[in-house]
Structures are given as structure tokens and as C-alpha cells.
Amino acid sequence: MKTLLLAAVCLFASSVIATSFVCEASDWTRFRGPQGSGIADDTAVPLEWSSDKNLAWRSPLPGKGTSSPVVAGDRVYLTAYTGYGIDPSNPGTKGDLVRHVIAFDRKTGAEVWRASIEATGDEDPYEGFITQHGYASSSVAVDGDTVFALLGKSGLFAFDRSGKQLWQLDLGQMSDPAKWGDGSSPIVVGDMVVVDAGVLGHHLVGVNKQTGTLVWSIDDKSFTNSWSTPTAVDVDGATQVLFNLPGQVVAVDPTNGKKLWTANTPLGDSACGGIVVSHGRGFLMGGREGNAMGFKLGGAGDVSDTNTLWKTRLRSSIATPIVVGDSMFWASGGIFYAAGLDDGEAIYKERLPRLGKPTGGFPNADYSSPIAVGGNIIQFTRSGESYVIAAGDKLNIVSHNPAFDGDDSAFSATPAVSDGQLFVRSDKFLYCIGE
């Protein structure tokens, strides 16, 4: 595999690249932030923003991507792709696909370094549903000085703070039956990088974060059609990792890959959103039928009968809901929903007002997952419009912010929050929102 590492472009990069750092409490080091909860440690960010208000900077991106920004120390990281699948009318040649891991200076938005990885596998063609998200859909995870990136069929990579590649591991050259591409993001749990590689290799894996060695793998041909990022939880004082897979939840010991317990779910065809947890319970939703489920965590073996709390119909597709208090909130198809954790019963569903036209394509408005900051929920649509919504039993829109001028591309990523600043990316730009 060819690997092209591009040099730093900032004038000051040479003085800061070699400096190690320790991730701060306010860092947003993985998809959906601390513990994957989507809840920021910060208590406040600006409530209103536009091209003329509370926009600290925006930086152009070299290519498209639906991966979410990640913030660690003085850097913002994301992935993008070029070379193939950029122009829907003329996608080009699959062999020209290049994926990029990019580090930006969080104060200025200047690009610090870029690692560019050329595709060598038989990439899924740019057609059908893959045109909605492309080839850079997995968010990176940062642990100390190391950046971990899942770059599709090119594999799982580790880079140091300067952008130097430390290791690479092939996780499979497979595809889901419909060839929709991959999208699950890696998480770091102790000494392991844990990945749902069901689409790529029909397996769940644990990789030593220092050496890139495959430590464990759970193989099953049914582990496909899952684009869900794993969830690490504490159960009876021990860490377990939950995988949301078609038709089942699988709980795994991240140290050795031992399967601890399973539970059947109503998501029989696909799993996109992550599992969210609250007070010893897990919640999931999605699938073509719009199903949802609440369940108790823990146990041994098949706990479907003993741990299932409720199953119901709740319309959702791509996004992961956010839990605030005793309710969960999410958007689907331009409608904002709230439901109770105790029974899954809908609290409200209200159509969000629009300032402009939605960005086309299914599911149109619900790629980005909501996040919560200080009791408020932040939700972006694919058109770039965004909302600050007060968590409660009625839809209370605190602010409705317009799309940014000069950017007609899709906003599919989930925002990141750090030290009072909000980071969001589109297919064209990375934005920093802050006073």
C-alpha cells in the first residue's frame, strides 16, 4: 500500500509538532465526544451563529467527508477524500481515490499536517446510497499523542502528533450486500482500539493501540450492515463494549474479546445509530421500519427475555439520539422527536422550521446526531441550518441559525465542542463557532 505523507503547511508547525500533549477534560476526542455520550463538559457555547456572527474562522477542506471533527489539545482532526466520487455526474476512476487525515490548528484553522492514503482495495462504486456519504465517513479517535483513523478498505491507521504513520492494519476487503461503504468509527478502550469492522471483514476487533497488533477478533458472517460506533460502558465495576448489530446487541470484554452477553433487537435489517446509555440501561433505534428498544445492561449469555425493558416504533434512520435527563431526543426527516426512557413513549414530535431548501437525497435532514451543551441540544441539518433546542417536554427552539454564506454543500457531520467553541464540518469547510 502506498502512503503519501504531506508536510506541515503552517509556519509555526515545526515548533509545536514535536511537543507532546495530554488530552484535557474538555477535549472531544472521538465521535460524539466524551464516552460517546454526545454531552459536552462545557456548560455554554454561543447560542446564535451565522457568517457574520460568532464565526471565529472557517477553513477550506481538500475534499468531501461525513466524518465528524475531533478536538484534542490545540488540534482539530477530521478525514476527507479526493480523486473519486466527488462529482456525481462524473465520479472518475476508483483507483484514484485518496483518503486524508488532516490536523488543523484550533486557534486559527490553519492546516498543520495532512496524511494522505491511496486506495488499493476494490472500493465500492460511487452509486446508490454511498453517494450520500462517500468514502470518509469514520471519525478519528485521539488518545494522548496518537490519532487512530479507520480509512475504509485501506485499513486502520495510527499517526503520531506530527502526522507520521506509526502502523497500519488491514481489517478486511469485504462489502455489505448493497455496497453502501463503511462508516463505524473506532474507539479507544484501555490499551485497545475497538472497531466494528462488520462491513469490512464480518468481525469485531480489538487492536493493541501501541503496536497495531490484532489482539482479538469475533467473526460472524451476520456481522454486516452495521455502521454503528461501539459504546463503552461500566457494568458492575468493569468496562464492557456494546456493539449494535442487525438483530442483536453484543457485549464484549475489551481486554480479550470474550463475548459476555447478547440481546435480540428489532433492528433486523441494519444498524446505524449508536447505543446510548443511562443508569444501567441501553437504548437503540433505527432500521427501515423505525424500531426502538430499551434494555438493562449486564448478565450472561442470551439475556433477551430478562433484560428487555420495552420495544416500540420510533422513526429514525442514521442519527444517534441524545439522552438528557429522563428523555432522549433526535431528528429524522425534518422532524424533531422526544421520547421517555422508561417506556419509549413519544413525548412530542414537531416539524422543524426551515429557512431554505433542504439538501437533497435520502434521508435528507437527519445525518448529523444531536449533541447537548448545558441543557441545550444542538442539531444541524444537511442544508447547514441549525437549531439550539432546550431539553424539555415541549419543543422549545432557543435559536434557529441559517446556513453559512457561500457553502451549498452537505453538512452531515456531528458537531464537536471544546472550551466554549463549536466545531462543525461540511463537504467544503471546517468551521469554528465561538465568541
Side-chain angles (χ1 to χ4, degrees):
M1 178 175 294
K2 297 180 180 178
T3 302
L4 177 62
L5 300 178
L6 300 184
V9 298
C10 293
L11 295 176
F12 55 83
S14 60
S15 64
V16 300
I17 276 176
T19 304
S20 63
F21 72 96
V22 176
C23 294
E24 302 294 337
S26 62
D27 285 345
W28 194 271
T29 57
R30 49 154 296 184
F31 176 63
R32 299 186 74 243
Q35 292 81 52
S37 68
I39 299 175
D41 292 332
D42 298 61
T43 58
V45 295
L47 298 179
E48 297 180 328
W49 52 81
S50 67
S51 297
D52 302 316
K53 185 174 185 178
N54 290 327
L55 179 59
W57 51 257
R58 81 172 183 179
S59 295
L61 301 178
K64 292 183 176 182
T66 56
S67 63
S68 300
V70 162
V71 187
D74 59 356
R75 300 281 173 81
V76 184
Y77 301 93
L78 53 73
T79 65
Y81 72 93
T82 57
Y84 176 66
I86 301 298
D87 181 357
S89 63
N90 184 23
T93 303
K94 289 192 290 183
D96 294 333
L97 176 67
V98 180
R99 294 179 175 92
H100 311 274
V101 181
I102 312 168
F104 296 86
D105 180 81
R106 69 167 293 167
K107 291 183 179 180
T108 65
E111 183 176 319
V112 179
W113 57 259
R114 186 190 311 178
S116 300
I117 308 298
E118 297 180 7
T120 59
D122 182 15
E123 298 290 342
D124 296 331
Y126 189 72
E127 59 188 29
F129 196 79
I130 203 169
T131 63
Q132 294 297 303
H133 67 96
Y135 302 93
S137 303
S138 300
S139 305
V140 305
V142 179
D143 182 71
D145 287 335
T146 310
V147 180
F148 302 97
L150 181 60
L151 303 179
K153 294 182 180 182
S154 295
L156 180 66
F157 289 77
F159 301 94
D160 69 11
R161 182 167 163 77
S162 69
K164 176 184 176 182
Q165 182 180 316
L166 302 175
W167 51 258
Q168 179 267 341
L169 180 65
D170 183 353
L171 293 183
Q173 301 297 312
M174 298 179 182
S175 301
D176 64 286
K179 295 186 180 297
W180 284 351
D182 64 287
S184 178
S185 299
I187 65 172
V188 179
V189 186
D191 293 330
M192 298 292 171
V193 184
V194 179
V195 183
D196 176 353
V199 170
L200 293 169
H202 294 173
H203 57 175
L204 318 173
V205 302
V207 180
N208 184 284
K209 68 181 182 182
Q210 294 181 335
T211 65
T213 303
L214 182 66
V215 178
W216 54 262
S217 176
I218 305 174
D219 298 80
D220 192 316
K221 290 183 178 180
S222 70
F223 293 168
T224 188
N225 279 10
S226 175
W227 297 268
S228 173
T229 296
T231 301
V233 296
D234 183 276
V235 179
D236 297 328
T239 300
Q240 300 181 2
V241 175
L242 309 182
F243 294 89
N244 184 17
L245 303 165
Q248 63 178 320
V249 172
V250 176
V252 174
D253 182 337
T255 65
N256 56 23
K258 179 182 178 183
K259 190 184 295 187
L260 301 173
W261 54 269
T262 64
N264 296 331
T265 79
L267 276 61
D269 53 357
S270 63
C272 290
I275 296 171
V276 293
V277 297
S278 175
H279 298 95
R281 300 169 295 174
F283 309 91
L284 54 84
M285 61 177 61
R288 292 186 180 90
E289 301 298 323
N291 287 304
M293 174 179 171
F295 54 95
K296 292 186 295 184
L297 304 178
D302 186 346
V303 299
S304 302
D305 294 335
T306 58
N307 286 28
T308 299
L309 298 173
W310 51 260
K311 293 180 182 179
T312 190
R313 297 286 294 275
L314 292 172
R315 176 58 59 186
S316 180
S317 56
I318 301 297
T320 300
I322 186 82
V323 170
V324 181
D326 295 325
S327 305
M328 54 184 172
F329 303 85
W330 73 98
S332 180
I335 297 175
F336 199 74
Y337 294 82
L341 298 182
D342 291 338
D343 52 15
E345 290 295 317
I347 298 173
Y348 68 77
K349 58 178 182 179
E350 300 284 347
R351 183 164 295 278
L352 294 169
R354 288 298 183 87
L355 297 173
K357 286 185 176 182
T359 300
F362 179 82
N364 198 23
D366 58 357
Y367 245 80
S368 176
S369 297
I371 62 171
V373 185
N376 287 322
I377 299 164
I378 298 173
Q379 177 73 60
F380 271 78
T381 71
R382 299 196 81 190
S383 66
E385 292 185 35
S386 53
Y387 308 82
V388 178
I389 300 169
D393 58 6
K394 294 182 179 179
L395 179 64
N396 179 6
I397 300 177
V398 178
S399 65
H400 180 187
N401 300 301
F404 296 102
D405 295 342
D407 191 350
D408 59 355
S409 67
F411 285 69
S412 302
T414 297
V417 177
S418 178
D419 291 331
Q421 293 179 315
L422 184 69
F423 299 87
V424 65
R425 66 89 58 88
S426 68
D427 273 340
K428 290 185 177 180
F429 296 98
L430 171 65
Y431 296 85
C432 175
I433 298 166
E435 296 179 347

